[in-house]
Amino acid sequence: MVFKAIMNGLIKAKAMPQISPTERQALEAGTVWIDGQVFSGKPDFAKMFSEPYAKLNKRERDFIDGPVKNLCDMVDSYELARTRIVPKQAIDYMKSQGFFSFLIPQSYGGQEFSVNAISTIMAMLSAHSPLLSTFVVIPNSLGAAELLKHYGKQSQKDHYLPRLASGEYLPCFGLTEPTAGSDAASILARGVLFKNAEGKLQIKLNFRKRYITLAPVANLISLAFKLQDPDNLLGKGSDVGITVALVHRGTPGLEMGKHHQPIGDAFYNGPIVGKDVVIDADEIIGGVECAGQGWRMLMEQLAGGRAVSLPAGAVGGVRAAAAAAGAYARVRQQFGMPIAEMEGIQEKLAEIAAMAYLAEGARVYAVSALDNGEQPPVVSAVWKAYLTELSRVQATNAMDVMAGAGVMQGPNNIIGRGYCSAPVAITVEGANIMTRSLITFGQGAVRCHPYAFKIANALEANDLPTFSSALKGWIGHMVVNTGRLIGLTATRGYLASVPKIDGVTPYLRKLAWTSSRYAYLTDMALLTVGGKLKARQQLTGHFADALGWQLLAISTVRRYVAEGEQREDLPLVQYACEYALEKIQKAFESIYANFGKNPLGLWMRTVGYLGLRLNPLVGSTRDRLVPVVAKTITKSGAQMDRIAGDLYLPKVNLAELDNDEVLANTTGVKRLLAAFEAVQAAEGVQRKIMAARRAKQLEKGSVQELADAALAKGIITADDKKLLDRANRISLEAIMVDEFTPQEFFGDDSITYAPGFDSANVPNVPHGAVVQQAERLRVVNS
């Protein structure tokens, strides 16, 4: 009787979040993975770290080292961004090498790569050229091939999959509309089922889509719309539901080909409009039997899919920031030293390096789970939201390091286009604001909690036995976890049973502590806020932050364990864990401060908040790691290669750059990398000169100024002098930015001076004065 009364009271009070049919399909899609461990309050790290960790097989490795790098060699990323035209040679190469077929089984002519391989390729191409990468990302993510592979009729698979694999069909996915963005379930696109004069089932479509990537050039659309069946021809009622069907370019009434102009690298994206477009009902993916099943299809595929393409692009962006900022900081000198030796610069470099390590760990951990059969929607949402935001932040840090070289546009600006393009990933596949405030915790609290979903289902079904069992379990869970939290708080996590990993165990103890607190706070939120959680988006956003950074910290340690606990990477792991713990601490403080106006909220805002501040997760100790972590990306070697990962970096031959003409025609990343290598090759010579200067064998002055005297006194050899001269010469070129004539700047061959100004009134500067000024700048920069 007690449980019956409680159940009736909860139903009447709408104490649990209300679940709509579309939300239910989202909640039931996919699986619970490590997110469930965090919500449990007692994560089993040993179990997590024993799960499979993906590695590329030889066929995948050969494809990345061969065709993928060849494609990057083939396309100049700056020219691609400037002209917005992907060369036919590149398109034909992608078709011939199977770039559109990574998801498609080999039996249909596809590559059938692992998710890890697909993600690795996407990360490499996205960092090289966002425009080029869209031709790989769209065919190999949510869309025609993936939906057909999982839901298509055999006849559809036989027809479409080989043609998608070969590139004969170039797909796009038509979902977003002017009035349906993040709320994709509210699409207005309509399809009306009818029988034509021959008695064949057909659909008349009317729709207006926007923000559709590859729409201007695609010839096959996977179109999402709400299907209506006024004559109940399918026996499913008049409103069948969201459906996905294939629509071919050239179908009467279909308008496509116009472009939107995205910020940054303007990849192909545009609107699709349909007016009385008629297609056969057989073009529904899965046939008429799957009419009305479109939302389920999308939710099932997005459950894991959000962890692939956009996170891969984000990881590529962080890698690029690490490689560019690290090399530039080593090459660029001010006040007689490389800026990499300045503490202010090191703070930025350390964060970039550690976040590159963290991001790659997150990427591989997630795709390992996908390749192992998991489809975790909450973790996928976290990866999409937090890695894309992380990429934007690290692009900004790299811009800060590169300063003027980052803001002057042209082929020599290595980081600027990525910085400008970063907001794109923030907005697509569920804007990060929505993903953070609604999906991550809103879905996670119900789905990943040990008992909440069972209770919600029992309340909806008025199922007393299930409700009673789940509620007893929840009460027991809360009692045990509250006791655990008290013990862990008193000992700052020391009582937690975690794997022994030298230098990392203290962080695992704190993550066990954070998980216990997170589970406690989740219970309190569900009990006191309950059905109003959807409206409390500030609160749920802070819960999402705490969850996201716990998962990212766990992923970092998982990478360290999987890679054999390489000791030189330990500072990266420690920095990343402390960075994450600082974020978690801040999120907890915000949760306590915003819990509500009820008695529990008052206690949390006062006593609880004070306790958090007096007993924080981590102190101000991260600074001690900054110098050593910063150095990981300012020198070449195996560690730098691990941080940069599978980033496309052109090959450098320093001997070739002794030729002035070759050096003058070497731009961008290649020139910076050449300077990076040349500077490191000359470090030994620099040390000899500096030692002689300290021993008073040489007068005061810069290394370059003293080089001739050092050679004359036998302190360095002629070969040493050549290394030093080469490093200075290439470095000076590497820090130069692009210059444009008026004709190039204004894009008009007839313009010789800025419009609106009279060049005749500008005083002439003697040529000799210009040369003298240039020489003074050369000396200063050297």
Side-chain angles (χ1 to χ4, degrees):
M1 293 295 292
V2 173
F3 285 105
K4 177 68 173 176
I6 293 173
M7 186 176 76
N8 289 338
L10 291 175
I11 292 172
K12 185 177 180 180
K14 297 181 179 180
M16 292 297 290
Q18 301 299 297
I19 303 172
S20 70
T22 54
E23 288 174 319
R24 178 167 294 281
Q25 287 183 318
L27 284 168
E28 292 176 348
T31 58
V32 176
W33 183 43
I34 60 172
D35 42 346
Q37 296 264 8
V38 174
F39 275 95
S40 76
K42 191 178 180 181
D44 187 343
F45 294 117
K47 179 182 178 182
M48 293 184 199
F49 298 164
S50 65
E51 292 181 2
Y53 200 74
K55 291 184 178 179
L56 299 169
N57 62 39
K58 185 179 185 303
R59 187 170 70 90
E60 293 167 341
R61 182 78 265 171
D62 289 345
F63 188 86
I64 291 167
D65 291 339
V68 178
K69 290 186 177 178
N70 291 342
L71 179 63
C72 291
D73 283 332
M74 192 179 296
V75 175
D76 183 308
S77 60
Y78 174 74
E79 279 301 300
L80 205 60
R82 186 184 68 82
T83 64
R84 303 175 184 168
I85 297 173
V86 180
K88 184 177 184 301
Q89 175 192 11
I91 297 293
D92 290 344
Y93 185 78
M94 286 190 281
K95 289 181 178 180
S96 68
Q97 297 298 315
F99 276 81
F100 304 138
S101 70
F102 299 159
L103 289 170
I104 297 174
Q106 293 184 57
S107 58
Y108 292 100
Q111 294 283 6
E112 200 172 358
F113 284 153
S114 66
V115 181
N116 181 33
I118 296 170
S119 170
T120 302
I121 295 166
M122 289 177 176
M124 180 183 287
L125 291 177
S126 295
H128 180 60
S129 168
L131 170 52
L132 183 67
S133 72
T134 56
F135 280 86
V136 175
V137 168
I138 298 304
N140 292 293
S141 56
L142 180 65
E146 186 164 24
L147 294 175
L148 286 165
K149 185 174 74 169
H150 291 286
Y151 309 105
K153 295 189 303 181
Q154 190 59 49
S155 59
Q156 290 176 329
K157 293 179 181 180
D158 291 341
H159 175 80
Y160 285 106
L161 290 180
R163 290 169 173 80
L164 286 163
S166 68
E168 179 181 340
Y169 285 140
L170 184 65
C172 67
F173 184 64
L175 177 62
T176 307
E177 300 176 1
T179 57
S182 297
D183 184 15
S186 65
I187 56 175
L188 297 179
R190 290 293 185 269
V192 179
L193 196 71
F194 69 98
K195 281 186 178 181
N196 65 10
E198 291 76 32
K200 188 174 184 178
L201 279 178
Q202 292 189 309
I203 302 170
K204 181 182 289 187
L205 296 162
N206 285 278
F207 56 88
R208 178 177 292 275
K209 304 288 183 177
R210 66 175 179 176
Y211 305 152
I212 311 303
T213 301
L214 292 189
V217 293
N219 56 13
L220 183 68
I221 308 165
S222 304
L223 187 78
F225 58 93
K226 288 184 176 177
L227 181 62
Q228 297 174 336
D229 184 4
D231 298 321
N232 198 21
L233 298 172
L234 300 181
K236 298 183 178 184
S238 58
D239 291 319
V240 181
I242 293 176
T243 302
V244 181
L246 297 169
V247 181
H248 292 254
R249 192 184 192 99
T251 303
L254 180 63
E255 299 176 18
M256 55 193 306
K258 292 182 179 179
H259 290 257
H260 298 311
Q261 187 173 328
I263 193 171
D265 275 15
F267 57 92
Y268 298 165
N269 183 284
I272 305 173
V273 179
K275 185 175 181 180
D276 294 339
V277 175
V278 176
I279 63 170
D280 291 339
D282 287 341
E283 294 292 358
I284 295 173
I285 291 179
V288 293
E289 295 84 359
C290 288
Q293 296 299 308
W295 189 247
R296 176 181 64 84
M297 295 178 184
L298 299 181
M299 290 301 98
E300 288 176 352
Q301 295 314 306
L302 277 174
R306 277 197 180 101
V308 184
S309 58
L310 288 169
V315 171
V318 181
R319 288 175 182 167
Y328 187 84
R330 184 65 191 85
V331 169
R332 176 65 164 156
Q333 294 198 16
Q334 291 287 271
F335 308 106
M337 69 175 78
I339 63 172
E341 296 178 11
M342 299 176 181
E343 290 187 356
I345 297 294
Q346 287 177 347
E347 283 186 305
K348 299 291 185 180
L349 295 177
E351 183 176 326
I352 296 170
M355 292 304 101
Y357 186 93
L358 173 148
E360 175 66 358
R363 184 192 72 81
V364 179
Y365 197 16
V367 297
S368 300
L370 297 177
D371 278 327
N372 200 38
E374 299 283 357
Q375 291 286 323
V378 174
V379 175
S380 292
V382 167
W383 263 222
K384 186 274 169 184
Y386 288 82
L387 290 181
T388 54
E389 179 61 29
L390 189 70
S391 179
R392 174 162 65 174
V393 171
Q394 301 319 315
T396 302
N397 283 337
M399 291 284 284
D400 289 349
V401 171
M402 300 183 76
V407 299
M408 294 301 167
Q409 298 190 69
N412 288 306
N413 188 325
I414 298 165
I415 206 72
R417 295 198 312 280
Y419 168 83
C420 292
S421 297
V424 174
I426 302 295
T427 65
V428 298
E429 269 190 39
N432 282 2
I433 292 175
M434 184 273 294
T435 303
R436 172 180 176 266
S437 60
L438 289 177
I439 296 178
T440 301
F441 184 73
Q443 187 170 348
V446 177
R447 180 65 191 280
C448 303
H449 187 279
Y451 299 100
F453 199 31
K454 295 175 185 177
I455 288 177
N457 285 335
L459 290 174
E460 187 171 315
N462 203 10
D463 181 351
L464 181 60
T466 300
F467 172 80
S468 301
S469 175
L471 185 58
K472 290 175 186 177
W474 192 353
I475 293 171
H477 162 76
M478 283 193 293
V479 171
V480 171
N481 185 62
T482 301
R484 183 187 305 118
L485 176 58
I486 292 170
L488 292 176
T489 301
T491 62
R492 294 185 51 76
Y494 194 80
L495 288 181
S497 177
V498 299
K500 300 298 186 289
I501 304 172
D502 189 26
V504 176
T505 296
Y507 299 109
L508 292 179
R509 288 179 178 143
K510 288 187 177 179
L511 287 168
W513 180 18
T514 66
S515 173
S516 181
R517 186 184 298 279
Y518 192 77
Y520 168 79
L521 291 172
T522 298
D523 288 335
M524 295 303 101
L526 288 172
L527 289 173
T528 62
V529 182
K532 298 179 182 178
L533 270 175
K534 292 178 186 177
R536 295 291 307 282
Q537 293 174 22
Q538 266 191 298
L539 180 63
T540 59
H542 297 312
F543 268 104
D545 293 340
L547 175 63
W549 283 103
Q550 286 178 87
L551 295 175
L552 291 171
I554 291 168
S555 298
T556 303
V557 180
R558 179 68 187 105
R559 175 183 181 180
Y560 183 64
V561 172
E563 293 182 351
E565 299 176 30
Q566 300 188 64
R567 192 71 186 180
E568 67 175 351
D569 288 347
L570 182 58
L572 289 160
V573 178
Q574 293 174 330
Y575 184 106
C577 285
E578 294 198 17
Y579 186 95
L581 287 168
E582 288 178 13
K583 296 284 189 181
I584 297 165
Q585 172 73 21
K586 182 178 179 182
F588 281 158
E589 291 174 6
S590 298
I591 290 170
Y592 274 63
N594 291 279
F595 213 87
K597 296 180 180 179
N598 50 48
L600 178 63
L602 177 62
W603 182 89
M604 287 191 167
R605 289 195 305 275
T606 54
V607 179
Y609 185 82
L610 180 62
L612 275 175
R613 297 300 299 270
L614 292 175
N615 189 20
L617 290 170
V618 65
S620 302
T621 58
R622 189 156 45 95
D623 284 354
R624 77 191 190 282
L625 296 166
V626 165
V628 64
V629 175
K631 288 179 181 177
T632 62
I633 56 173
T634 58
K635 61 180 180 179
S636 300
Q639 188 176 34
M640 177 61 174
D641 290 343
R642 285 196 299 277
I643 294 172
D646 280 294
L647 183 68
Y648 170 72
L649 298 173
K651 294 178 181 178
V652 172
N653 184 336
L654 288 179
E656 290 180 353
L657 300 182
D658 288 334
N659 183 296
D660 288 338
E661 185 176 348
V662 173
L663 177 58
N665 290 319
T666 301
T667 61
V669 176
K670 188 171 184 178
R671 191 168 70 178
L672 177 59
L673 292 177
F676 187 44
E677 295 302 323
V679 165
Q680 291 178 90
E683 280 180 343
V685 184
Q686 291 179 326
R687 283 194 292 269
K688 289 179 185 179
I689 295 175
M690 287 188 291
R693 186 175 61 187
R694 286 193 297 269
K696 301 191 183 302
Q697 293 174 274
L698 296 170
E699 301 293 330
K700 291 183 179 180
S702 70
V703 169
Q704 190 63 31
E705 289 170 337
L706 298 175
D708 288 332
L711 177 61
K713 292 185 177 184
I715 296 169
I716 63 173
T717 66
D719 287 341
D720 288 341
K721 179 68 163 49
K722 287 180 180 178
L723 288 176
L724 195 60
D725 287 344
R726 171 193 280 170
N728 184 65
R729 176 170 160 272
I730 300 176
S731 295
L732 183 58
E733 287 297 318
I735 65 172
M736 299 298 288
V737 297
D738 297 285
E739 302 169 356
F740 301 95
T741 65
Q743 294 88 347
E744 293 167 331
F745 186 82
F746 293 107
D748 187 337
D749 290 339
S750 66
I751 294 177
T752 58
Y753 199 69
F757 290 85
D758 183 359
S759 60
N761 294 328
V762 178
N764 291 321
V765 179
H767 177 70
V770 175
V771 173
Q772 291 170 16
Q773 174 67 5
E775 180 62 19
R776 284 197 296 274
L777 288 173
R778 188 195 69 77
V779 172
V780 169
N781 284 325
S782 68

